[in-house]
Amino acid sequence: MAISPMKPMLKQARSEKYGIAAFNVIDYNSARAVVDGAQEMSAPIIVQLSVKTIRLWGFKPIADWVRSLSDSVDVPVALHLDHCKDLGVIRRCIDAGWTSVMFDGSALPFQENISQTKLAYELTMAAGVGLEAEIGAIGGTEDDKFVAEDEAILAAVDECVEFCQHFPDLAVFAPAIGTAHGVYKGKPKIAYDRLAEITSSVDIPIALHGGTGLSTEQFSRCIQSGCAKVNISTMHKLQFIDGFADLRKQKPDLGEPIPFIEAQYELMKKGVKEMIALFGSQGKA
Ligand code: 13P
């Protein structure tokens, strides 16, 4: 089917308390593993791209891959832009056919975050494209953004309420709740009470960033508390590398690339299916 907007998918996920996996894809093979994994699980799925990855491959080629992959399956596939501070990139994604984008003004002072997010909101609403926006500071590294763990800041509930009043049609809202991008150094400390307070005052679906390394229990508690979009990047990137590296170790004399591409695809697809099963979105397409 044609690529889908993520907002209705996430609204339903939040009300039925399951999570939709959003994978940061790397190339065509990675996007193929994500979409095929979703198809095998009959699950809605979000294919998302970092700005760095878009700069590598280009807007149109990526949109073309995802469109053709989506056309080949019968589960809803959304095409989303992950953390982006550049309205020019957002405009180009909209023109190329992305169904949603994230504007990340979280490093700005709160009022400035609101005024910058407003520009992205106007742009996306006019184009009929979904918007994700963030407040607080999620720890770790994502694309070119680094927030030291001791500088991560939980989103304040009153600020979440004020922020969302400005943007009632957000597709998904990303408040920092203690998770971090990348590989966790210690045990992740999720502020469940804060999350519950936010979701009792904000009915927009919540995005859970920093999915790699969370336990089954942590995913489940967050999803039960309103997290509808669950972001996975680092795990998928490591499987992208390991798919090649493991086969190279097993068969050092193999010089034909296609078995490597297939091994990589199978490993990534397995990871995608495991996450879908964990988040409860299997059969929800
Ligand atoms: P991980 O790299 O921890 O999976 O986080 C992904 C993410 O939140 C992308 O925005």
Side-chain angles (χ1 to χ4, degrees):
M1 62 168 85
I3 48 173
S4 303
M6 71 175 186
K7 190 176 168 196
M9 286 163 41
L10 293 174
K11 252 190 160 24
Q12 188 179 341
R14 174 159 173 181
S15 75
E16 292 182 20
K17 294 185 189 283
Y18 59 87
I20 297 181
F23 277 90
N24 288 63
V25 303
I26 303 130
D27 68 355
Y28 177 77
N29 203 35
S30 142
R32 181 172 77 109
V34 171
V35 172
D36 289 355
Q39 168 76 3
E40 288 178 25
M41 297 295 276
S42 293
I45 196 83
I46 298 165
V47 171
Q48 62 186 11
L49 279 299
S50 70
V51 175
K52 204 193 286 181
T53 309
I54 297 174
R55 293 206 194 285
L56 176 68
W57 301 113
F59 293 83
K60 188 171 181 309
I62 293 171
D64 286 347
W65 304 337
V66 179
R67 258 195 296 263
S68 74
L69 287 165
S70 178
D71 283 345
S72 71
V73 295
D74 50 21
V75 296
V77 177
L79 174 57
H80 183 63
L81 167 67
D82 200 16
H83 299 271
C84 180
K85 294 179 281 214
D86 183 337
L87 289 174
V89 171
I90 287 181
R91 254 187 224 106
R92 292 191 65 187
C93 283
I94 293 173
D95 291 345
W98 260 250
T99 50
S100 54
V101 297
M102 176 178 190
F103 177 76
D104 180 358
S106 61
L108 301 168
F110 180 62
Q111 290 302 333
E112 214 177 315
N113 186 3
I114 292 179
S115 50
Q116 291 294 312
T117 303
K118 223 168 241 174
L119 301 175
Y121 190 69
E122 283 161 8
L123 205 63
T124 50
M125 292 304 114
V129 159
L131 180 67
E132 174 174 354
E134 175 179 331
I135 72 168
I138 296 169
T141 303
E142 182 55 44
D143 213 3
D144 60 353
K145 180 180 165 194
F146 173 71
V147 177
E149 277 183 24
D150 54 356
E151 285 169 15
I153 303 164
L154 295 184
V157 179
D158 57 340
E159 291 189 347
C160 291
V161 172
E162 185 184 339
F163 191 86
C164 291
Q165 276 165 355
H166 286 278
F167 310 114
D169 282 327
L170 272 189
V172 64
F173 173 52
I177 55 162
T179 57
H181 297 120
V183 175
Y184 286 95
K185 293 195 183 72
K187 196 171 180 278
K189 290 192 210 84
I190 301 179
Y192 294 111
D193 292 351
R194 181 70 57 97
L195 173 62
E197 282 181 80
I198 294 170
T199 50
S200 68
S201 12
V202 167
D203 64 3
I204 295 168
I206 303 293
L208 181 64
H209 282 250
T212 300
L214 299 184
S215 66
T216 304
E217 195 218 338
Q218 287 168 324
F219 281 127
S220 159
R221 284 185 73 177
C222 290
I223 291 167
Q224 292 312 306
S225 294
C227 290
K229 172 175 184 273
V230 186
N231 284 7
I232 303 285
S233 175
T234 304
M235 181 196 96
H236 187 66
K237 286 180 191 165
L238 294 175
Q239 291 180 333
F240 180 93
I241 295 167
D242 289 346
F244 268 49
D246 293 350
L247 185 60
R248 184 75 172 154
K249 223 180 275 162
Q250 280 167 34
K251 298 189 176 173
D253 298 328
L254 186 63
E256 166 60 50
I258 289 176
F260 286 91
I261 292 168
E262 289 304 343
Q264 187 196 44
Y265 166 81
E266 291 299 338
L267 187 64
M268 292 187 290
K269 192 171 73 173
K270 183 166 162 280
V272 168
K273 292 170 71 172
E274 284 166 0
M275 291 300 114
I276 288 171
L278 268 186
F279 306 161
S281 55
Q282 178 170 11
K284 299 291 186 182

